[in-house]
C-alpha cells in the first residue's frame, strides 16, 4: 500500500477511536460548524469545482453528467442545510437495543456503537462527499471518501473545509479523509485495507459494485442496483395498475427504485396490456416485450439481457406470466433484490407475493419509488442495501452502527454447576 | 466448480426458497422427526463414526481430538435432545422488527426473513453437523455443511438420516446438504459460490478464518477467535480480581471466551501481582510476563506473540500498565475483539473502559466466560461473531435471519410534490 494511503487510513482509524465515545452534543456542534464553514467558504468551493467542470467539458462529458458535477453557491448552501438536518436527527449511538437482568443477576445490555472507519466509493456528485461525511460523523464513524476522479478538485476543497471546521470542535479533524490520488489504485487500496477500514460501501453502477464485492477483503455493503418489477396480478384493479406502473417507470427513471420490468398475469393480459402499452407510449417509454406482449402491439423484442438489465431510462422490459408463482420465479431469476411490487385486490395473492419474493422491499398496491430512506422517515440515507447481511433496504444512521454487549456483575464466576458470586471484600488499598 | 458441488448447492438454494415461507409448526414438526430418526438410527450413525475414529487412530490423532470426534448411542441421544430444544425455541422468522403507518398512509413493516442458504465450515465434531442444521432449519434457512474431513463418514451418515427424516415432512429434504468430498477444494468452492450461498460461517482456528475472509466472495461472519483480557484497575477489589482472573483462565481454558492476557494497573501491581502469580501457579498456569511482571516472580518472558496469541491452554500473558487508557490501548492493539473484562469499584473507570474497548462484549466485575449464547439466554448458539457487521457476539436464531421491508398502499404514487393516491376503481373483470 502506498504511504499516502496508509497515512490517511491510519489517521482515520485513530480519529475513529477518539470519536466513538463522544455523546451527541459535541457531534452536533461539529456538524453545525461544518455547515457554517461550507456556507462561509462557498466561493472557494465553487472555484475548485469550476476546475472539475472545465476538465469534464474538455473531456467531452455529457451535459447531464456535468450538471451532477456542478456546484454553485446555492447548491453549496443546500449541502450545508442537509448537514444541519443530519445534526437534528437522533444519535443512534448508545441506544440500548436489548437488555435485561439474567437469572444469575448479571445485568446484560446490547448497545449501539459506531462501526469505526467507513469507506465510501461513489460517483461524480460532490454533494455526496459532504452528505456521507455528515452521516458517518453523526453515527460516530470516521470516513474515508473515494469519490469519482472527475470531482477530485471539488472533493479536495470540500474535505479541506470540513477538516478545518472540525479542528475547532471536539470531533477530531482526522475523522474525515479523502483518499488521495485520482488513479484506480486507490480504490484497490481501499478494498484491501482490512484492519484499517471496517466496512466499504460502494455506490454506483453494477460493474463497480461487482468488482468491489469480488476483490474486497474489507466487508462490503452492496447498494443501489435496482432491477425493480411491477407485477399486475389476475385480481388487480387495472386502473390502479396503470397508474402504479407509470409512476414507477417514469416519475424518475434514472434512480434505482424505478421499475425496469412489467409482469402481467395472463388472465388480465387482454384487458391490461393494450392499455399499458398505450399509456407507456404516451409517456415516451420504449417497451421491450416478450412474444406474448408483442401479440398486443408494436414492441422491441426482449431478450435475456432486457430482463436482467437496469435501464435507468425510459425503457421497460415486459412479459406475460401464467401465475403469481411464475411471476415470483421470474423475479427470483432476474431481479436484483431491490424492490418489487404487486398490484392486486387479493389478500391471499399479496400475502403469497410478499412471502416468496426475496427482495429488500416488497410493495403492495404502491409504486416502487417509495423505497427510500426519506420516504421511510429515516431523515437521511447513505444508500439502499440490496444484500442480506447487516442492512437490507434503505440505510439510515442506525445501519451505520454495530452493537456491543455489556454485562455487569459483582464478582460473577461461571462454574460447571452454575454461577457463583465472589462477593467483593473491603477496600484493598 | 465441480458438478458434485453445484448439484448440492443448487439443491440447497431450491430448498431454501421452499422453506423460507414456512411458518413455525411444520418446521418444528420436521425437527422433531429428525430427532426421532437420530435416536431410532443411532446404531447406524455410531457404526459410521467408528470408521472415522479408526482412521483417526491410525493417523495418530490425539486422544483429546478423538474424544471430540467420537459418537456413542448416549451422545447421539444428547444430539437428538438438542434438536428438540431448538424446536422449542421461538421462531425468529416473521417477527416485525419495526413498523408503523407513514404520514402518507403507507403501512410499513420491517419483518425478519431467512438469509437463504447458510454455509458452515467446522471442526471435527459431528454433533455440530446436527446442531447447525437444526438452527438453520428453525430459522428457515437451507444449510450447506462442510465439516472436517476427519468426520466425513459420520457426517455422511448424519446428513442421510436427517434428509430421510425430512422427506416425510413439509420441510424439503434438500434443505440439509453435506458438501461432497474430503478435499480442501470443496472449501474453496464454498467460498466462491456467490449467488448460491448467502453467508458463510467458518468455525475453527484463526488460520481457517483468515483464509476464508481473504478468499471468500460470499459474505462471511467471522467467529470464535478470542484473545480475551482481564484488566485489574487501580480501584479494583483485589479479592474479586483474583477470583475473576482464575475463573476466566482456568474454568475451561480451551474455549474462546477464556482469558489469555492479564493487565494490571501499576498502582495495584505491588499488592496484586504476587497474589495473582501464586494463585495462577497453584492452578498450574504458566505466566508469560513482561519485565514489570517479572519483577514480582518467576515468569516466562513475554514477547509480542504472547500478547497476540490465543493460548487455549493453561498459559496466560501478563503486563503492568500505567493507566486505564494504556490498558485499553493494549487491548485495541493486541485483542481479537471478543471479550474483555475490567475489575473495578469505580463507576467512572467502568464507564470509560466499556466506552473505549472495541470488542463484541465487555464484562464489568464478571468472568469473560459468560460471553455465550446459552448464558445470554438465547437457547442456542451457532457461534460467537467477532466482526462488526450483521452480528456481533453470541449468535442465536435471530442472527441467522435478514429482514425485508413490506409496504402496503391503495394506489400510492410518489410525485415531486408528495404522495398522490390513485384510488382503486370498480372490479375490472
Amino acid at each position: 500500500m502506498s504511504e499516502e494511503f496508509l497515512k490517511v487510513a491510519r489517521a482515520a482509524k485513530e480519529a475513529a477511536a477518539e470519536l466513538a465515545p463522544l455523546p451527541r452534543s459535541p457531534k452536533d456542534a461539529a456538524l453545525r460548524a461544518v455547515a457554517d464553514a461550507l456556507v462561509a467558504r462557498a466561493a472557494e468551493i465553487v472555484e475548485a469545482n469550476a476546475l472539475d467542470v472545465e476538465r469534464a467539458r474538455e473531456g467531452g462529458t455529457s451535459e447531464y453528467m456535468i450538471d451532477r458535477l456542478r456546484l454553485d453557491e446555492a447548491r453549496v448552501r443546500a449541502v450545508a442545510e442537509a448537514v444541519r438536518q443530519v445534526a437534528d436527527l437522533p444519535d443512534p449511538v448508545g441506544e440500548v437495543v436489548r437488555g435485561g437482568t439474567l437469572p444469575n443477576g448479571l445485568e446484560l445490555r446490547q448497545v449501539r456503537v459506531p462501526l469505526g472507519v467507513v469507506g465510501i466509493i461513489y460517483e461524480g456528485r460532490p454533494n455526496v462527499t459532504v452528505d456521507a461525511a455528515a452521516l458517518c460523523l453523526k453515527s460516530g464513524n470516521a470516513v474515508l471518501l473515494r469519490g469519482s476522479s472527475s470531482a477530485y478538485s471539488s472533493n479536495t476543497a470540500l474535505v479541506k473545509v470540513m477538516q478545518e471546521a472540525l479542528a475547532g470542535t471536539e470531533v477530531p479533524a482526522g475523522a474525515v479523509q479523502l483518499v488521495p490520488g485520482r488513479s484506480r489504485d486507490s480504490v484497490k487500496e481501499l478494498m484491501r485495507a482490512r484492519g484499517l477500514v471496517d466496512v466499504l460501501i460502494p455506490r454506483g453502477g453494477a460493474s463497480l459494485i461487482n468488482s468491489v464485492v469480488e476483490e474486497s477483503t474489507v466487508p462490503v455493503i452492496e447498494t443501489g442496483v435496482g432491477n425493480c418489477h411491477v407485477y399486475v396480478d389476475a385480481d388487480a384493479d387495472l386502473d390502479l395498475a396503470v397508474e402504479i406502473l407509470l409512476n414507477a417507470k417514469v416519475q424518475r427513471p434514472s434512480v434505482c427504485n424505478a421499475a425496469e420490468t412489467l409482469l402481467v398475469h395472463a388472465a388480465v393480459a387482454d384487458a391490461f396490456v393494450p392499455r399499458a402499452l398505450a399509456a407507456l407510449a404516451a409517456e415516451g417509454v420504449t417497451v421491450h416485450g416478450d412474444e406474448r406482449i408483442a401479440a398486443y402491439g408494436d414492441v422491441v423484442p426482449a431478450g435475456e439481457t432486457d430482463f436482467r438489465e437496469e435501464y435507468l431510462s425510459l425503457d421497460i422490459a415486459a412479459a406475460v406470466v401464467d401465475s403469481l408463482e411464475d411471476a415470483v420465479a421470474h423475479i427470483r431469476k432476474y431481479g436484483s433484490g431491490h424492490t418489487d411490487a404487486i398490484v392486486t385486490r387479493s389478500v391471499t395473492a399479496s400475502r403469497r407475493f410478499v412471502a416468496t419474493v426475496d427482495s429488500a422491499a416488497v410493495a403492495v398496491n404502491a409504486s416502487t419509488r417509495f423505497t427510500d430512506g426519506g420516504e421511510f422517515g429515516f431523515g437521511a440515507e447513505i444508500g439502499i442495501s440490496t444484500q442480506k447481511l447487516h442492512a437490507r433496504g434503505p440505510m439510515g444512521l442506525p445501519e451505520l452502527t454495530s452493537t456491543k454487549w455489556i454485562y455487569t456483575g459483582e464478582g460473577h464466576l461461571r462454574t460447571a454447576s452454575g454461577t457463583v458470586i465472589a462477593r467483593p471484600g473491603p477496600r484493598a488499598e
Side-chain angles (χ1 to χ4, degrees), chain A:
Chain A
M1 269 181 218
S2 68
E3 274 310 309
E4 296 94 319
F5 177 79
L6 280 176
K7 198 178 143 201
V8 299
R10 286 189 184 132
K13 188 172 175 167
E14 261 175 52
E18 230 180 289
L19 171 55
L22 282 190
R24 175 171 179 172
S25 293
K27 289 189 288 190
D28 289 357
L31 289 171
R32 296 204 172 92
V34 164
D36 292 346
L38 290 167
V39 172
R41 296 171 69 176
E44 181 182 331
I45 293 162
V46 171
E47 201 179 321
N49 178 254
L51 297 175
D52 287 330
V53 169
E54 197 186 313
R55 248 190 309 267
R57 277 238 163 74
E58 283 167 8
T61 304
S62 72
E63 279 307 311
Y64 171 73
M65 296 300 279
I66 285 178
D67 186 58
R68 282 160 50 115
L69 178 59
R70 201 174 54 81
L71 289 177
D72 54 25
E73 298 219 4
R75 284 188 178 180
V76 173
R77 279 195 301 275
V79 165
E81 186 48 39
V83 173
R84 291 204 176 89
Q85 283 168 11
V86 172
D88 290 340
L89 291 174
D91 186 350
V93 174
E95 186 199 342
V96 178
V97 179
R98 286 184 273 185
T101 302
L102 297 179
N104 61 10
L106 271 181
E107 290 169 17
L108 180 67
R109 286 172 294 153
Q110 186 184 27
V111 173
R112 281 202 191 283
V113 296
L115 286 165
V117 177
V118 178
I120 302 187
I121 305 175
Y122 55 102
E123 64 279 39
R125 287 166 54 205
N127 63 309
V128 174
T129 304
V130 180
D131 286 351
L135 290 169
C136 288
L137 293 183
K138 177 79 188 200
S139 50
N141 296 293
V143 64
L144 270 175
L145 297 156
R146 207 300 180 181
S148 162
S149 57
S150 68
Y152 194 68
S153 299
S154 317
N155 292 342
T156 303
L158 287 165
V159 168
K160 183 162 180 274
V161 169
M162 288 194 280
Q163 286 179 337
E164 288 171 11
L166 292 176
T169 74
E170 285 184 57
V171 169
V176 177
Q177 298 285 349
L178 187 68
V179 174
R182 293 160 185 272
S183 99
R184 280 259 148 199
D185 292 352
S186 62
V187 177
K188 288 234 165 72
E189 290 179 309
L190 205 44
M191 294 193 290
R192 309 300 292 185
R194 195 177 180 88
L196 289 169
V197 180
D198 292 286
V199 58
L200 206 52
I201 306 178
R203 293 172 44 142
S207 73
L208 166 71
I209 291 166
N210 285 338
S211 87
V212 173
V213 160
E214 189 69 29
E215 294 179 41
S216 183
T217 55
V218 175
V220 174
I221 299 180
E222 290 178 66
T223 66
V225 176
N227 179 9
C228 301
H229 297 73
V230 174
Y231 164 61
V232 179
D233 185 48
D235 207 3
D237 180 292
L238 300 187
D239 297 328
L240 216 77
V242 171
E243 298 290 335
I244 288 173
L245 169 65
L246 286 185
N247 185 261
K249 179 68 252 179
V250 309
Q251 199 256 334
R252 202 169 164 206
S254 65
V255 293
C256 63
N257 59 18
E260 305 290 2
T261 302
L262 164 68
L263 299 173
V264 182
H265 192 290
V268 291
D270 284 353
F272 182 71
V273 177
R275 287 185 62 184
L277 293 181
L280 289 166
E283 296 284 347
V285 177
T286 304
V287 175
H288 305 249
D290 72 351
E291 286 181 11
R292 294 168 80 178
I293 293 283
Y296 297 101
D298 215 15
V299 297
V300 179
E304 280 275 310
T305 39
D306 288 289
F307 291 112
R308 220 171 270 290
E309 198 166 316
E310 194 188 15
Y311 292 115
L312 299 173
S313 60
L314 287 176
D315 292 82
I316 194 165
V320 174
V321 293
D322 287 319
S323 64
L324 185 145
E325 288 68 32
D326 284 0
V328 171
H330 181 108
I331 293 168
R332 281 188 168 261
K333 182 169 177 192
Y334 295 107
S336 64
H338 189 298
T339 302
D340 302 293
I342 181 172
V343 186
T344 188
R345 283 175 301 219
S346 160
V347 172
T348 300
S350 85
R351 260 175 66 102
R352 290 203 184 144
F353 188 82
V354 162
T356 54
V357 166
D358 188 23
S359 297
V362 183
V364 179
N365 295 337
S367 170
T368 54
R369 292 275 296 110
F370 289 101
T371 303
D372 176 277
E375 294 291 326
F376 281 11
F378 294 178
E381 180 189 284
I382 191 94
I384 297 180
S385 162
T386 52
Q387 68 176 30
K388 293 187 190 171
L389 282 197
H390 187 70
R392 198 178 193 200
M395 293 173 62
L397 289 169
E399 284 72 27
L400 286 172
T401 64
S402 181
T403 57
K404 182 192 275 185
W405 290 97
I406 300 157
Y407 51 90
T408 306
E410 40 183 281
H412 281 64
L413 312 176
R414 183 170 169 188
T415 75
S417 56
T419 299
V420 165
I421 299 178
R423 295 280 170 200
R427 282 189 73 86
E429 305 95 301

